[in-house]
Amino acid sequence: MPAPKDHRKLGEPPLLEAHDVSIRFGGVQALSEVAFAVHESEIVGILGPNGAGKTTFFNCVSGFYAPNEGRIELHGEDVTALRPDERAQRGLGRTFQQVGLVKSFTVLENLIVAQHKSVKYGVLSGMFGMPWTLREERVLREKAMVVLDFMGLMAVKDAPVQGLPYGTLKMCETAAVIATDPEILMLDEPLAGTGPEEGEAFCQRLKDMRRDLGISIVMIEHHVPLVLGTADYIYVLNFGALLAQGRPAAIRKNEAVAVAYMGEGATALA
Amino acid sequence: MSIIDELDPDELDPDELALADEHVITPTEAAEAAAWRPSPGGVAARIVVLVGLLLLVVAIPQIVPDIYTNVVSKAAIFGLVALSLNVIIGYTGQISLGHNAFVGVGAFGAGYALTKMDLPYAGALVVAALTGVVGALLIGVIALRLAGLYLALVTIAYAFLAQEVLFNLRSLTGGGAGQPAPRPSVFSSDVSYAYFCIAVLGVALAFDWRLTASKGGRAIQALRDDERVAASWGINVTSFKLLAFVISGIMAGIAGALFAGIEQLASRQDFPFLPLALTFLVMTVVGGAGNRWGVMQGGILFAILPTLLDRAHESFHFFPFTSVQVTWEPAIGALLLLLTLIFSPGGIAQQQRHLLNWLSFKRFNEPSHGGGISRGGMGARP
């Protein structure tokens, strides 16, 4: 199998780009001039200690926070002023640090709602029960099953979301975002609450997804070795600013990153 | 905030989550339940019961004494109002204390269209529905900015606006004499009008069913649980919240038009904020917000309650019936509301869950959560 094309190296324009994003909450400078780019079928890792601003940055990119300065571009289009749902319509999918699922639905129902933007029938024809809407409902259901199967979640498909263990919920959440059919998948701590073996399997799945679906993945994760082993490119945030960026091999040896993570005197990660 | 949001993931234990409900359904149970199919005999039994219930509904306008035929119409209309309020309370997780205004404006709108504009009956129904749309957009736009108690206050404001201003517009309401609202000529007798109301309720139930099983209703329920998650899936929070209010407004407006047809007169004494708005709210919650069969029964119960009390007072000449007056209705409503909130938040629907399971071709003893709160019920959010 040929190695995946490295779009970053080829100098192609990125799919998603953040230009010098800054945001303040009262007197706290949560992010200052963070720049970041995601290329086609690339896995990008975002690292950083607690409180570094990773989730805040995600919220700026996905439209839940409006940055004070800077702009976000998706496919070269300035989306800084767009709402989260408009960005989602343009192919940006994200998960939440707290579980982002509809809690009163079953897992399968969640994956059906998540396909909202790909539903072709109109809201009205759905309400009047037009025959073509019934047909499409079946298709939605089948698609949801395919995603659940891919994520290895078939066993819990009929279970109500309430009551499932946290790790399973995080997997279901990722499955739901995949069901939205995103071009860029942004995962906020997808491995929280899961064991190490599950982490390996999950990262392998991300690579499969990138290969099979050609999507780009951005991942915030505290499990540093896994991120280093999975991502093609890594950004490290610290105190709301970009501390380092580069290929995993370079990040591994970066002294500043090691100090940020492990304290004074450290020279290399892992 | 749900339990899931509050706990540290590392300390999270599935058993702890179980505190919220009587029983947490395991994935195995859920899969088993989903795969379960009734035996041929079971299917036949269910069909027999369903057909029996349907025949009962069809027979009711014929078998009740003539003086109560209009109560049947009223029951169907209250069922429709409950479905309307259910879209806001059950599906959207918001609240409306102004449904007497929606219903009243619909009634006067229909009356005005019939007598002053000489529209055909279908046209009057459309006018009534449109008054619902306008009111719903008014409230809905505010609901985008407010939630919970504050929204409740705004809906009360709408109720009073209607009661004190709209219902006093002489040209619209005919003043104290009321606005005549003749029935459609085909359904001019009491019995046929009851059938007409039941048919409209049936259509509303079918509509409600398709709503929840399709894109729009799912989006509405998703944003009830979590607006951020809904938005991240590409659901336009603003439009779908407004859609929910508009659907509710249309149903309430049509219910108003039907209500005016009972006495063939819409008069402003029929739609007071007290107790009507509260009765509407209580019947939806007691019925089981989020469940269309539950709220419908809640509506029917509160429609016939005054008549039942009245009848008990007339027929039984011993305590406690000697002291039962129609004015006891609010007390009974309050008591039922308290009992519901304490013992079965899922209302009548939760009480009947085994029966409703069985009738929907599932197992009688389907594993289930503690009721409406957890499954398609009122969100526990403020």
Side-chain angles (χ1 to χ4, degrees), chain B:
Chain B
M1 289 289 272
S2 79
I3 291 180
I4 294 182
D5 295 328
E6 279 166 7
L7 291 178
D8 181 0
D10 301 330
E11 295 172 0
L12 208 61
D13 170 8
D15 291 337
E16 229 166 311
L17 288 170
L19 290 176
D21 291 302
E22 330 174 310
H23 172 70
V24 167
I25 304 169
T26 66
T28 333
E29 276 175 345
E32 247 174 50
W36 190 86
R37 294 284 176 276
S39 67
V43 174
R46 285 166 174 85
I47 290 175
V48 167
V49 173
L50 284 172
V51 170
L53 283 174
L54 193 65
L55 288 178
L56 182 66
V57 172
V58 171
I60 278 178
Q62 304 283 357
I63 53 179
V64 295
D66 285 349
I67 48 163
Y68 295 126
T69 311
N70 281 341
V71 178
V72 175
S73 307
K74 186 185 166 200
I77 292 164
F78 271 45
L80 182 58
V81 175
L83 284 180
S84 153
L85 207 45
N86 184 35
V87 175
I88 290 180
I89 299 178
Y91 301 158
T92 322
Q94 302 291 348
I95 201 165
S96 167
L97 281 166
H99 255 56
N100 65 315
F102 282 101
V103 174
V105 173
F108 288 120
Y112 187 83
L114 286 168
T115 44
K116 297 276 165 64
M117 293 159 71
D118 281 326
L119 287 182
Y121 195 79
L125 280 187
V126 171
V127 169
L130 284 179
T131 64
V133 172
V134 173
L137 285 177
L138 212 72
I139 298 288
V141 167
I142 296 165
L144 298 175
R145 307 196 166 267
L146 299 175
L149 273 179
Y150 300 98
L151 178 62
L153 284 175
V154 171
T155 59
I156 291 180
Y158 179 63
F160 281 119
L161 173 79
Q163 184 176 308
E164 303 300 328
V165 181
L166 297 180
F167 295 171
N168 286 332
L169 299 174
R170 196 167 285 276
S171 58
L172 175 70
T173 65
Q179 183 72 270
R183 292 174 183 171
S185 50
V186 210
F187 302 109
S188 54
S189 77
D190 281 358
V191 172
S192 61
Y193 192 69
Y195 279 119
F196 178 60
C197 293
I198 291 174
V200 174
L201 176 62
V203 171
L205 279 170
F207 179 82
D208 190 66
W209 167 54
R210 282 326 302 169
L211 171 70
T212 51
S214 70
K215 182 181 179 177
R218 277 195 306 252
I220 289 168
Q221 295 181 71
L223 63 89
R224 168 197 65 206
D225 279 20
D226 197 326
E227 287 182 12
R228 282 161 35 107
V229 171
S232 78
W233 291 345
I235 293 169
N236 185 333
V237 175
T238 312
S239 353
F240 280 94
K241 226 185 222 181
L242 277 181
L243 177 74
F245 276 84
V246 167
I247 292 170
S248 179
I250 291 176
M251 286 180 166
I254 290 178
L258 293 179
F259 193 82
I262 293 183
E263 301 293 337
Q264 313 218 40
L265 182 75
S267 69
R268 62 172 183 232
Q269 300 91 301
D270 290 342
F271 310 103
F273 170 73
L274 284 173
L276 204 57
L278 295 183
T279 304
F280 288 162
L281 183 71
V282 170
M283 73 194 192
T284 309
V285 174
V286 168
N291 186 301
R292 70 180 68 87
W293 301 107
V295 296
M296 184 190 76
Q297 291 177 69
I300 293 172
L301 173 66
F302 278 83
I304 61 176
L305 195 57
T307 313
L308 289 180
L309 292 176
D310 209 13
R311 204 171 145 70
H313 184 58
E314 283 162 13
S315 323
F316 303 107
H317 303 285
F318 51 88
F319 188 81
F321 299 102
T322 42
S323 59
V324 167
Q325 295 287 338
V326 181
T327 45
W328 276 47
E329 189 206 344
I332 293 181
L335 185 67
L336 282 176
L337 182 66
L338 280 177
L339 290 175
T340 300
L341 293 178
I342 296 169
F343 295 110
S344 78
I348 295 177
Q350 189 189 347
Q351 301 288 351
Q352 292 180 343
R353 63 184 184 276
H354 296 305
L355 183 66
L356 291 174
N357 278 337
W358 191 80
L359 285 175
S360 49
F361 292 82
K362 292 189 204 123
R363 259 184 311 190
F364 188 74
N365 274 320
E366 190 84 357
S368 70
H369 273 299
I373 295 279
S374 57
R375 184 100 181 90
M378 233 191 318
R381 296 179 298 123

Side-chain angles (χ1 to χ4, degrees), chain A residues 64 83 85 88-89 96 98 100 102-104 109-110 112 116 119 121 126-127 134 137 158-160 162 166 180, chain B residues 2 5 9 12 30 34 210-211 213-215 218 224-225 228-229 231-236 240 247 369 374-375:
Chain A
F64 288 98
R83 292 191 309 267
D85 58 289
Q89 296 275 2
F96 293 85
Q98 264 85 34
V102 179
K103 293 182 185 78
S104 57
E109 284 167 344
N110 264 283
I112 295 177
H116 181 84
V119 179
Y121 66 74
M127 283 189 245
L134 305 182
E137 283 296 313
D158 295 306
Q162 270 183 352
Y166 187 79
T180 68
Chain B
S2 79
D5 295 328
L12 208 61
R210 282 326 302 169
L211 171 70
S214 70
K215 182 181 179 177
R218 277 195 306 252
R224 168 197 65 206
D225 279 20
R228 282 161 35 107
V229 171
S232 78
W233 291 345
I235 293 169
N236 185 333
F240 280 94
I247 292 170
H369 273 299
S374 57
R375 184 100 181 90

